[in-house]
Amino acid sequence: MQIRCEWASFSDLALKYHDGEWGVPIHDDRSLFEFLVLEGAQAGLSWETILRKRDNYRKAFNNFDYEKVAAYDYVKVEELLKNEGIVRNRLKVRSAIANAQAFKKVRDEFGSFDTYIWSFVNHSPVQNSWKSLADIPAKTDIAEKISKDLKKRGFSFVGPTIIYAFMQAVGMVNDHVTDCFRYEQCRELGTK
């Protein structure tokens, strides 16, 4: 039997996400934007809820094409707020649009969002060595620094806890517990 991070056993969906995605370094701007929107949408909810709605989000937000999302208008916001497949929270929907606009500005300045966001960890995943779920922090100094910089650039729903969850999701940190079978796999992916 393979040992996994404790939270992966909550559901089949969590298990699949844990085994295939969580902690894998992502460098594609569209995927980074997707996780930024999803982590913001998750605020106050469970990640399980967002994973169940993920395909609906992809359809509703043009597969997270930040160029298209940045151009959404009032009519599109109202349409999204009627979509039962996503979290129908006006602040979160408007945040996704504002974040797409800020995302584009970061891309203009740095060439890609990937270059910008990964610079906070010197373009290499932070390799933690947690023994249990209880050891993993909700936020870190790096997450605080990123959060502050993103807010300065016009992003919202990017508090340090949300940003740390984002960092875990996109592999900027390897927070698999050390006895999890994915720990070494993600560590190796981070050295390539």
Side-chain angles (χ1 to χ4, degrees), residues 1-59:
M1 187 176 108
Q2 288 183 313
I3 297 173
R4 291 178 170 88
C5 297
E6 196 179 311
W7 63 267
S9 63
F10 296 161
S11 71
D12 289 343
L13 194 57
L15 182 81
K16 184 179 174 194
Y17 174 69
H18 170 274
D19 287 4
E21 289 185 79
W22 195 69
V24 174
I26 293 175
H27 295 284
D28 169 66
D29 274 5
R30 191 214 54 82
S31 298
L32 290 168
F33 179 66
E34 175 177 351
F35 276 104
L36 200 60
V37 172
L38 293 177
E39 292 293 352
Q42 189 255 332
L45 303 169
S46 73
W47 184 241
E48 179 85 18
T49 297
I50 300 305
L51 284 177
R52 280 197 311 271
K53 294 177 179 285
R54 190 177 186 185
D55 286 337
N56 297 327
Y57 265 93
R58 286 177 173 155
K59 289 178 193 133

Side-chain angles (χ1 to χ4, degrees), residues 27-94:
H27 295 284
D28 169 66
D29 274 5
R30 191 214 54 82
S31 298
L32 290 168
F33 179 66
E34 175 177 351
F35 276 104
L36 200 60
V37 172
L38 293 177
E39 292 293 352
Q42 189 255 332
L45 303 169
S46 73
W47 184 241
E48 179 85 18
T49 297
I50 300 305
L51 284 177
R52 280 197 311 271
K53 294 177 179 285
R54 190 177 186 185
D55 286 337
N56 297 327
Y57 265 93
R58 286 177 173 155
K59 289 178 193 133
F61 285 88
N62 291 92
N63 202 33
F64 295 102
D65 180 330
Y66 43 84
E67 296 282 352
K68 290 180 180 174
V69 176
Y72 285 0
D73 58 10
Y74 174 80
V75 174
K76 183 65 175 181
V77 169
E78 295 306 308
E79 176 191 315
L80 288 167
L81 290 173
K82 292 176 185 154
N83 185 334
E84 294 180 9
I86 67 168
V87 176
R88 294 179 295 166
N89 175 300
R90 186 175 299 276
L91 290 176
K92 290 179 180 181
V93 168
R94 292 178 65 135

Side-chain angles (χ1 to χ4, degrees), residues 10 12 14 29 46 55 63 65 90 104 116 122 124 126 134 145-146 151-153 156 170 173:
F10 296 161
D12 289 343
D29 274 5
S46 73
D55 286 337
N63 202 33
D65 180 330
R90 186 175 299 276
K104 284 177 59 179
Y116 161 76
N122 297 318
S124 182
V126 174
K145 184 177 176 183
I146 295 170
K151 287 176 184 175
K152 188 178 74 179
R153 293 173 184 281
S156 59
V170 304
V173 295

Side-chain angles (χ1 to χ4, degrees), residues 118-137:
W118 278 87
S119 71
F120 288 96
V121 291
N122 297 318
H123 304 281
S124 182
V126 174
Q127 300 297 331
N128 289 317
S129 53
W130 310 117
K131 300 284 185 238
S132 75
L133 186 63
D135 296 335
I136 303 172

